[in-house]
Amino acid sequence: MTQVTYELRNNIAVLQLSSPPVNSLGLSMRQAIMSNFQKALADENVDAIVLASSGSIFCGGADISEFDGDLAFASPNLSELCDFVEGTNKLVIAAINGMALGGGCELTLACDYRIADKKAKIGLPEVQLGILPGAGGTQRMPRLAGAPLALEMISSGKPVAAQKLLEAKAIDRLALEDEALLEAAVNYAEELVADDAPLRNCADMAVDISDLPEDYFFEFRRKTSARTQGFYAPEQCIQAVEAACALPLAEGIAFEANLFRDCMETPQARAQQHLFFSERAATKIPGIQSKTLIRPINRVAVIGSGTMGGGIAMNFINAGIETVVLDLNAEALERGIATIRRNYEISAKKGRFTQAQVDSCLSLLKSTTEYSDISDVDLVIEAVFERMDIKQQVFKTLDEVCKPGAILATNTSTLDVNEIAAVTSRPEAVVGTHFFSPANVMRLLEIVRAEKTADDVLMTTIKLAQKIKKVPVVSGVCWGFIGNRMIEPYGRETARLILEGASPAQIDQALTDFGLAMGFPSMADLAGIDVSYLIRQENAEACYPRDPHYAAILDKLYELGRYGQKSGRGFYIYEGRDKREDPEVMTLAADLANELGIKQRAITDQEIVERTMYVLINEGAQILDEGIAYRSGDIDIVYCNGYGFPIFKGGPMQFADEIGLDKILAALNGYRQSLGDYGEEWFKPAPLLERLVEQNKSFKDYQ
Ligand code: T1G
């Protein structure tokens, strides 16, 4: 299939990238671009070349799927292609529509002139893949847009509006509102030819550092160090831009190439690229065509106006979908709606929303105490108290009230969605949509596929999740689905380590050093020691019979009314914004250990990380084996988007693959022996883990 079309418009050669969905610059595409350029250069009637796209975006950059082999470097590689384009002896004009990202952006920087659609966005997101622009972007963007804007773009990976680059003079012109970009680009090319406009080459430009403070790069490192902790590429990005300010272009590009190769070899790059593809793979369901017809969702209802219900509703009105919040308790409803309004006011004050956006969202928000008012909605999400009998009552009512074809979703975080579906006459329309608190902020959405959930209901829910800017992951039905089920052994192990002598602060420190946003003790205090206690009781038969002192310190804190931040005391003591260790926790732990005959000892950070993370991974292996999760990447997406697992490790299963499953298995068996009866009970390796080690395979190999 032609990946680049060639058309002559008088003396202008128009090359259009035509390789959907994103014109990614794999080897064959690079070769096609090169050969079409050579065709235009050889044609003496051609005075200028316009490089455009026939698709919805200009170009999504290098073909990331080439990164795990040598194709990315096969000639002409992207850097060679950009050097070639920049060195041509005819004017080259880039016509940027939609998005120009990564190598796509770098290609435009190698052109002589750039015209963009008003709405176009241009970015260098490579750092989000654990690498850096490797086709001259770190050298050309600082020359064209100035070091500060270039450094911001390259180190954040965030695209900017074409207008911003126009102001920085990195883009020469925007197409007028009603003007078709391609026509505007051809006209612009003719104008440049008529004006005998000069060829441009970044090699003739130096980065203007006249108004950069001496310590600019030092300060930038200091400001960004917190968010880049554990990543490798961000520092390389800064070094590359520093080089642009000091070296001639060719030397700078060579320096960039070395940094690029370094980055490509890092576990962080493998982790971040794994997450990129995993997030997209998670929306593909084995046995269901992605083209499955989905149900139109134009009006949504949310049952329950509490924290979760309100947050859930905000997702839909933010996406422009009319939403009715229903609560039988008028006062609670009023409070809930007032909370939503307040959230928007705060966002407007912070500049996250304009007042017009706030008004438009709130115009889509309705509320009622009457079920009859939601009879015509296309989808309902129930977000009432986490009790099966209450949820079943709601679903019986929804089944009576809602129109045929309406999707009935439950926001339960652990309960059996099959049991909820069973009380309706339409189990095929029932699905789980597990939002994470705060529901209007957290990107993760666990979509629970019950036994009878219809394929089109599932696919509709996945597409709707993407529309409300969530990251959907499909889970089967089990206690806790994917995320909370794996949290359970992690929490158990934390509680046990505290009895054995590790303090909450040591555990938190060890796990935040590992890269988690926070350790289990701090997370439990934040989410509520009472919340985890009640959840544990829902799952009691799986825990206490196997170990009567299961999570003993957690139960003890609950008994003492120490629920964490909400009660001012949990694992830590909270006074206002102050958080400090509570020595009484270790006294309680020592007493419990004494009572249980557990010998306390000094425990290393490594043991803390291994015992908590490896039981998490072991549970993930079991979840995979049971088919609750379709692939290991789904589990990684859950943990990186819902539980603060470090992105630069790619999720627990990617982390295990990097360590080597044989080492994980050996460590689990080691603790199984060294921890006596407790180890025998809780460190049995998952059979899938043993099988994969035997077959010398990784979790990623398992589909
Ligand atoms: N390479 C390979 N496949 C890609 C791709 C890419 N760059 N971008 C998207 N895809 C696939 C994606 O996996 C999905 O496949 C389909 O296209 C639609 O994507 C030298 C080395 C462009 C904003 O980081 O951000 O250039 O699931 O669902 O929502 O310096 O894709 O259908 O099989 O995301 O409309 C830098 C990555 C590369 C941009 C479009 N570029 N892509 O979003 O569609 S590194 C990026 C995106 C680089 C140079 C370096 C988004 C998008 P499937 P999608 P979308």
Side-chain angles (χ1 to χ4, degrees):
M1 186 182 111
T2 313
Q3 298 189 69
V4 179
T5 60
Y6 186 96
E7 179 198 353
L8 269 182
R9 294 200 186 178
N10 303 323
N11 59 336
I12 309 296
V14 176
L15 278 55
Q16 289 198 69
L17 308 180
S18 308
S19 176
V22 301
N23 289 330
S24 55
L25 298 165
L27 176 59
S28 59
M29 183 65 155
R30 300 195 298 269
Q31 289 165 333
I33 294 169
M34 177 73 89
S35 60
N36 278 279
F37 261 93
Q38 285 160 340
K39 182 176 171 185
L41 293 170
D43 182 340
E44 60 192 26
N45 298 318
V46 169
D47 294 326
I49 299 163
V50 166
L51 181 63
S53 160
S54 63
S56 60
I57 66 168
F58 179 78
C59 175
D63 182 345
I64 306 168
S65 64
E66 286 187 342
F67 288 2
D68 57 2
D70 294 332
L71 276 180
F73 297 101
S75 194
N77 64 43
L78 258 174
S79 195
E80 289 164 345
L81 183 62
C82 289
D83 291 350
F84 168 77
V85 168
E86 184 166 62
T88 55
N89 60 3
K90 293 185 180 179
L91 287 172
V92 182
I93 294 91
I96 304 167
N97 71 309
M99 301 187 96
L101 299 175
C105 165
E106 292 171 295
L107 205 46
T108 70
L109 302 181
C111 296
D112 296 292
Y113 296 86
R114 285 158 289 279
I115 180 171
D117 182 280
K118 216 171 169 51
K119 299 192 195 71
K121 286 192 181 297
I122 292 98
L124 292 164
E126 288 86 343
V127 72
Q128 292 169 359
L129 296 170
I131 52 180
L132 78 163
T138 66
Q139 307 303 306
R140 293 191 174 95
M141 189 60 91
R143 284 172 166 80
L144 292 166
L149 176 54
L151 183 56
E152 185 51 44
M153 289 178 71
I154 293 164
S155 66
S156 71
K158 292 199 180 87
V160 298
Q163 176 67 36
K164 191 154 186 175
L165 288 176
L166 179 77
E167 287 155 12
K169 299 189 173 42
I171 282 182
D172 303 283
R173 185 171 287 193
L174 294 185
L176 304 176
E177 280 290 345
D178 54 355
E179 207 179 13
L181 176 66
L182 190 56
E183 278 57 39
V186 172
N187 294 339
Y188 185 37
E190 281 162 354
E191 201 184 301
L192 290 167
V193 170
D195 295 349
D196 196 18
L199 294 170
R200 287 166 162 175
N201 190 315
C202 282
D204 306 328
M205 303 173 199
V207 182
D208 176 5
I209 55 174
S210 53
D211 53 3
L212 279 194
E214 271 293 302
D215 62 353
Y216 178 75
F217 289 100
F218 173 82
E219 268 306 298
F220 190 86
R221 281 186 174 89
R222 192 184 57 74
K223 272 189 312 181
T224 57
S225 62
R227 72 173 170 80
T228 59
Q229 189 71 34
F231 291 90
Y232 180 79
E235 170 54 26
Q236 316 317 309
C237 291
I238 298 172
Q239 288 184 24
V241 176
E242 275 180 310
C245 298
L247 301 176
L249 184 69
E251 285 176 45
I253 286 179
F255 183 76
E256 172 197 85
N258 290 334
L259 296 181
F260 181 74
R261 280 187 181 276
D262 280 354
C263 288
M264 287 286 270
E265 302 306 315
T266 59
Q268 289 95 329
R270 288 190 291 273
Q272 290 174 261
Q273 290 157 31
H274 163 72
L275 290 174
F276 173 84
F277 284 117
S278 295
E279 190 174 313
R280 288 152 181 83
T283 62
K284 295 174 178 64
I285 309 307
I288 301 182
Q289 291 304 316
S290 54
K291 300 267 182 278
T292 300
L293 204 59
I294 60 173
R295 302 185 187 186
I297 304 291
N298 300 308
R299 198 157 179 265
V300 165
V302 176
I303 313 296
S305 60
T307 312
M308 286 306 281
I312 291 170
M314 288 177 70
N315 290 303
F316 290 98
I317 56 180
N318 288 346
I321 298 171
E322 188 182 315
T323 302
V324 189
V325 177
L326 180 147
D327 198 313
L328 298 180
N329 175 328
E331 267 176 47
L333 182 61
E334 202 179 317
R335 275 198 307 277
I337 297 299
T339 304
I340 293 175
R341 289 184 183 286
R342 201 166 44 255
N343 284 343
Y344 276 108
E345 279 154 22
I346 294 167
S347 298
K349 279 207 184 79
K350 288 183 178 166
R352 255 184 267 139
F353 284 103
T354 63
Q355 193 52 49
Q357 285 168 326
V358 168
D359 298 342
S360 147
C361 289
L362 291 175
S363 70
L364 295 167
L365 179 64
K366 314 288 178 214
S367 60
T368 181
T369 57
E370 301 298 329
Y371 270 97
S372 56
D373 288 342
I374 65 167
S375 59
D376 68 339
V377 298
D378 306 302
L379 175 135
V380 188
I381 295 181
E382 161 275 314
V384 300
F385 198 67
E386 189 73 355
R387 249 190 33 210
M388 183 57 85
D389 56 341
I390 298 177
K391 291 187 184 297
Q392 286 180 324
Q393 182 48 53
V394 167
F395 271 76
K396 279 183 188 140
T397 310
L398 292 175
D399 191 27
E400 286 154 19
V401 166
C402 293
K403 68 181 182 185
I407 293 175
L408 311 181
T410 170
N411 177 51
T412 182
S413 57
T414 57
L415 299 177
D416 186 329
V417 182
N418 293 322
E419 276 184 49
I420 295 173
V423 301
T424 72
S425 65
R426 56 177 110 177
E428 75 289 343
V430 175
V431 68
T433 49
H434 176 211
F435 287 82
F436 286 73
S437 184
N440 56 311
V441 173
M442 295 296 281
R443 294 184 69 217
L444 178 63
L445 179 63
E446 273 184 328
I447 296 175
V448 185
R449 182 183 191 182
E451 270 155 36
K452 295 182 178 164
T453 303
D455 290 356
D456 70 323
V457 168
L458 183 64
M459 294 314 285
T460 300
T461 311
I462 290 173
K463 297 287 181 211
L464 185 62
Q466 292 176 308
K467 181 166 184 178
I468 62 172
K469 299 199 180 353
K470 294 298 179 188
V471 177
V473 176
V474 174
S475 169
V477 174
C478 69
W479 183 87
F481 313 132
I482 297 172
N484 285 346
R485 173 166 161 187
M486 288 169 67
I487 275 282
E488 191 47 42
Y490 165 35
R492 178 200 69 230
E493 210 47 36
T494 298
R496 175 74 186 200
L497 281 160
I498 290 172
L499 292 196
E500 292 182 20
S503 72
Q506 184 194 358
I507 293 171
D508 271 332
Q509 189 61 53
L511 290 169
T512 48
D513 289 349
F514 171 78
L516 285 171
M518 62 176 74
F520 187 90
S522 292
M523 185 176 71
D525 273 0
L526 176 66
I529 301 268
D530 52 333
V531 171
S532 59
Y533 175 82
L534 294 173
I535 287 178
R536 212 167 25 258
Q537 303 323 306
E538 286 277 349
N539 191 34
E541 77 288 350
C543 308
Y544 297 101
R546 291 174 57 184
D547 173 359
H549 309 293
Y550 186 91
I553 187 68
L554 280 160
D555 287 358
K556 189 72 183 167
L557 289 175
Y558 176 77
E559 279 163 33
L560 294 170
R562 295 183 191 175
Y563 299 160
Q565 285 190 23
K566 65 173 76 169
S567 67
R569 199 169 184 183
F571 280 112
Y572 295 91
I573 293 172
Y574 300 89
E575 277 152 3
R577 297 179 68 83
D578 181 40
K579 164 185 176 184
R580 57 193 167 80
E581 288 191 71
D582 180 351
E584 210 179 300
V585 171
M586 290 319 282
T587 309
L588 288 170
D591 293 348
L592 279 167
N594 193 29
E595 203 181 298
L596 303 176
I598 295 170
K599 194 171 170 319
Q600 294 205 318
R601 61 188 169 90
I603 297 177
T604 65
D605 289 355
Q606 180 182 342
E607 180 173 343
I608 290 171
V609 171
E610 286 183 351
R611 284 176 54 179
T612 52
M613 294 297 102
Y614 290 9
V615 294
L616 187 90
I617 289 161
N618 202 41
E619 194 67 26
Q622 192 55 31
I623 283 173
L624 267 180
D625 208 5
E626 294 169 16
I628 296 294
Y630 292 119
R631 52 191 84 79
S632 60
D634 289 6
I635 296 172
D636 290 333
I637 291 298
V638 167
Y639 263 78
C640 289
N641 289 282
Y643 294 83
F645 199 92
I647 286 172
F648 58 82
K649 285 190 161 77
M653 311 310 272
Q654 171 72 12
F655 168 64
D657 283 345
E658 282 286 334
I659 296 270
L661 299 193
D662 55 338
K663 295 189 179 63
I664 304 285
L665 179 61
L668 286 169
N669 282 326
Y671 290 118
R672 190 178 179 181
Q673 266 124 43
S674 66
L675 294 172
D677 294 347
Y678 177 83
E680 186 49 41
E681 184 59 46
W682 296 109
F683 278 82
K684 283 191 194 65
L688 173 65
L689 176 60
E690 293 177 315
R691 294 201 305 272
L692 290 174
V693 170
E694 221 169 277
Q695 297 157 15
N696 192 24
K697 284 188 175 174
S698 65
F699 283 128
K700 204 184 274 188
D701 296 328
Y702 182 76
Q703 292 288 348

